[in-house]
Amino acid sequence: MSAILNKRRAGILLHITSLPGSSAMGDLGQEAYHFVNFLHDTGITVWQTLPLGTTHEDRSPYQSLSAHAGNPELISVDWLCKQGWLRFPDISTESKNAFEYPKSILLTKAFHGFLKRADEGNKKDFADFCQAKSFWLDDFALFMALRHKFHPQCWNQWPEHFKEREAKALQEARRRLKAQIDSIKFQQYVFFRQWLELKAYAGQHGVLMFGDIPIFVSYDSADVWANRDVFKLDDAGEMIVVAGVPPDYFSETGQRWGNPHFNWHTLKKTGFHWWLDRLQTQLELFDILRIDHFRGLEAAWEIPAYEETAINGQWVKAPGHALLSAINVALGSIPLVAEDLGIITSEVEELRDEFHLPGMKILQFAFGDGLDNPYLPGNYVTNCVAYTGTHDNDTTLGWSENLSDEAKTKIYDYLGNPQTSIPCALIHAALGSVANLAVIPMQDILELGSEHRMNTPGTATGNWTWRFRWDQVTPERTEKLGNLVRLFDRQA
């Protein structure tokens, strides 16, 4: 077990996009630093986010355009202004209308300002960044430039010479699109600088950053375009099978995610090089990592690509033991958390436990069955992460409002405290449990209803947009949270 995870800690789950502020979504500006201060003041030592990757139009962080690149939409415009690379009245700094400009326009202007006004130290830093990240950045920047040229087509609909990555065509594209490619690389440079500055500030205040790795990548991504042999594709580059999960708690027809499956045979032959590179990037960004859909490392649900739902799939074995062994050899005992939710078999549990990975315990799942329910606090082990709910659940208040009186009585009979709200009772139970780490979604800290949930699995609209406001974080809530963290010995 990693030393980081072998200590009692408390965390809050909040994605960067959910931070308040005047821009279209939360970003890496001052509000992120304000949130670190809030965590520090309450004794909370873990900030869990969702994946940071560049998203598609649906804004889902679980369908990224790259397993390495950060989302430019998270870049702070104020930071660019402070560097002197984005000047107003180029757009007008005093202007209340500054944030009405698309982020892409502001970032392009900042790149031009960087070329004109950055000192030699920053220019060398940018060049060094491009060199160090070239193993993924070169393909990503070219992919994004071509994607802009052929938008909204996926790469498999591009002209054949680009789709098939013919060397001469790519060389010519790099020449013709150089300015745009360099601007895309600059955006990644800025993202990584801003994130690492935030991470350093969090570390100085005793706060660890906890990230999330989607097990699968999007078909429409630089990874699949540049590494077709790593995925189960036919000779034309089309998906044969797609990822998802069978019918479960969230959906009667299962979830058809549409991601390509891994070609594990190729990955094993290369020593899992692609996976190790991916983890190395995320370890630069985070102190702790969660592997989303961990059970897919033991066996994954493969759905024929022509099927419209996830019902007619099958479980296909994956070499999780070999992969995790390769990770241990190459990277050591890194702080990994297994998202072991859904249809979990004894084989999945054995894989998790063999590598001493903490699993997840969700209190919203705890009260529907008997006393052997693994999500009941009395059944926890120390090597786990306790949650009231996750980004895929309804908020605890919204969930509780749909419970019968009998179900509510059952919860209070088990947890006690009938005078308190169910969100508060579950927070109390999570923090008071034996789990080394207890993480509470920000919505539950604020006792918010269903209209504030982050994601509803199986739906394509209305997700990933929730943001909190500082006026919701009252002194009374802050004091109460800090008292609970101290009471259950989870303080920094």
Side-chain angles (χ1 to χ4, degrees):
M1 184 193 309
S2 165
I4 285 179
L5 294 170
N6 193 23
K7 179 184 178 187
R8 285 182 68 78
R9 298 181 183 276
I12 288 183
L13 171 59
L14 180 84
H15 195 38
I16 303 299
T17 58
S18 294
L19 289 164
S22 55
S23 55
M25 64 174 70
D27 60 33
L28 299 175
Q30 278 306 116
E31 298 293 358
Y33 290 80
H34 191 178
F35 191 71
V36 169
N37 294 339
F38 163 72
L39 296 176
H40 175 73
D41 291 346
T42 54
I44 289 172
T45 61
V46 175
W47 179 359
Q48 182 174 353
T49 75
L50 305 184
L52 299 178
T54 305
T55 65
H56 291 76
E57 287 73 11
D58 65 359
R59 295 178 61 170
S60 169
Y62 294 90
Q63 292 285 351
S64 176
L65 290 158
S66 168
H68 297 272
N71 186 355
E73 292 295 325
L74 302 181
I75 288 173
S76 164
V77 172
D78 287 341
W79 185 95
L80 293 168
C81 295
K82 288 174 184 175
Q83 299 297 321
W85 304 339
L86 183 61
R87 286 185 177 174
F88 299 98
D90 274 347
I91 300 174
S92 177
T93 198
E94 329 220 351
S95 148
K96 55 184 184 223
N97 299 318
F99 290 106
E100 292 178 6
Y101 286 84
K103 184 69 70 74
S104 59
I105 290 177
L106 297 174
L107 294 176
T108 299
K109 286 183 175 290
F111 177 54
H112 293 155
F114 174 84
L115 294 177
K116 292 177 185 176
R117 297 186 288 272
D119 60 33
E120 290 307 311
N122 279 312
K123 288 182 177 177
K124 182 180 184 305
D125 194 36
F126 175 42
D128 290 345
F129 171 85
C130 292
Q131 178 62 36
K133 309 298 182 188
S134 60
F135 68 96
W136 64 264
L137 184 58
D138 289 350
D139 281 324
F140 172 74
L142 177 58
F143 172 83
M144 293 299 289
L146 290 171
R147 192 171 187 271
H148 178 77
K149 178 181 176 66
F150 297 118
H151 192 73
Q153 294 177 328
C154 178
W155 65 264
N156 65 335
Q157 301 299 312
W158 293 352
E160 195 72 10
H161 50 280
F162 290 129
K163 172 187 169 182
E164 298 297 334
R165 292 177 54 84
E166 294 176 8
K168 186 176 179 180
L170 297 191
Q171 183 179 8
E172 178 63 15
R174 287 191 175 96
R175 185 185 68 80
R176 286 181 173 272
L177 300 173
K178 184 179 187 308
Q180 189 174 352
I181 288 170
D182 288 347
S183 181
I184 292 166
K185 290 182 177 182
F186 170 76
Q187 292 171 20
Q188 290 304 307
Y189 167 68
V190 170
F191 172 87
F192 273 75
R193 269 195 62 174
Q194 289 191 10
W195 178 266
L196 292 175
E197 287 177 10
L198 175 64
K199 180 172 179 277
Y201 183 83
Q204 291 161 10
H205 288 74
V207 174
L208 302 171
M209 302 304 286
F210 182 2
D212 200 0
I213 300 179
I215 185 173
F216 299 114
V217 301
S218 171
Y219 178 68
D220 185 12
S221 68
D223 303 279
V224 179
W225 177 63
N227 303 279
R228 277 167 52 169
D229 59 331
V230 169
F231 303 93
K232 286 187 175 180
L233 309 176
D234 63 21
D235 291 342
E238 301 298 324
M239 290 183 288
I240 304 167
V241 288
V242 299
V245 290
D248 62 7
Y249 169 87
F250 290 113
S251 172
E252 293 181 356
T253 58
Q255 297 176 50
R256 186 190 185 280
W257 298 333
N259 307 75
H261 276 278
F262 291 110
N263 181 341
W264 288 113
H265 178 70
T266 296
L267 283 163
K268 284 181 74 173
K269 281 200 308 184
T270 60
F272 301 102
H273 179 74
W274 182 90
W275 261 95
L276 295 177
D277 282 347
R278 181 189 196 190
L279 279 167
Q280 192 65 62
T281 295
Q282 296 306 309
L283 285 170
E284 181 183 356
L285 299 174
F286 292 103
D287 302 293
I288 307 169
L289 291 171
R290 184 187 89 136
I291 299 181
D292 184 55
H293 195 60
F294 174 80
R295 74 104 53 245
L297 295 184
E298 190 280 325
W301 189 250
E302 293 194 356
I303 308 158
Y306 56 79
E307 291 283 351
E308 294 184 0
T309 73
I311 294 175
N312 296 318
Q314 62 178 338
W315 291 108
V316 176
K317 288 290 185 180
H321 184 278
L323 171 62
L324 291 169
S325 296
I327 291 169
N328 277 354
V329 169
L331 303 174
S333 179
I334 61 177
L336 291 177
V337 172
E339 189 269 292
D340 55 347
L341 308 177
I343 301 173
I344 302 303
T345 63
S346 59
E347 290 85 357
V348 178
E349 292 173 345
E350 288 167 9
L351 180 64
R352 177 199 65 204
D353 294 344
E354 180 178 354
F355 290 89
H356 308 291
L357 304 181
M360 293 173 58
K361 304 297 182 184
I362 312 301
L363 280 164
Q364 287 187 24
F365 298 161
F367 304 99
D369 301 309
L371 292 177
D372 61 346
N373 185 317
Y375 299 108
L376 282 172
N379 297 326
Y380 291 2
V381 295
T382 57
N383 190 30
C384 73
V385 185
Y387 292 83
T388 52
T390 74
H391 68 276
D392 282 333
N393 294 110
D394 197 352
T395 68
T396 296
L397 179 61
W399 166 77
S400 67
E401 288 176 339
N402 290 309
L403 294 175
S404 66
D405 289 342
E406 180 183 2
K408 292 177 183 177
T409 298
K410 186 176 181 180
I411 292 171
Y412 283 126
D413 284 346
Y414 189 93
L415 297 179
N417 300 321
Q419 291 79 29
T420 192
S421 68
I422 287 183
C424 288
L426 262 62
I427 290 171
H428 194 277
L431 293 173
S433 74
V434 299
N436 279 336
L437 176 58
V439 178
I440 315 298
M442 190 65 175
Q443 293 97 320
D444 289 352
I445 298 291
L446 302 177
E447 294 187 74
L448 299 175
S450 297
E451 66 274 21
H452 298 276
R453 73 181 292 173
M454 190 62 163
N455 178 50
T456 303
T459 64
T461 59
N463 299 316
W464 318 114
T465 60
W466 176 74
R467 303 175 75 175
F468 82 93
R469 304 186 316 271
W470 282 115
D471 62 9
Q472 296 169 317
V473 188
T474 62
E476 294 76 19
R477 289 191 192 281
T478 302
E479 182 181 6
K480 183 178 180 181
L481 179 59
N483 287 340
L484 285 176
V485 171
R486 289 187 291 275
L487 175 66
F488 294 117
D489 192 27
R490 293 184 181 274
Q491 71 273 25

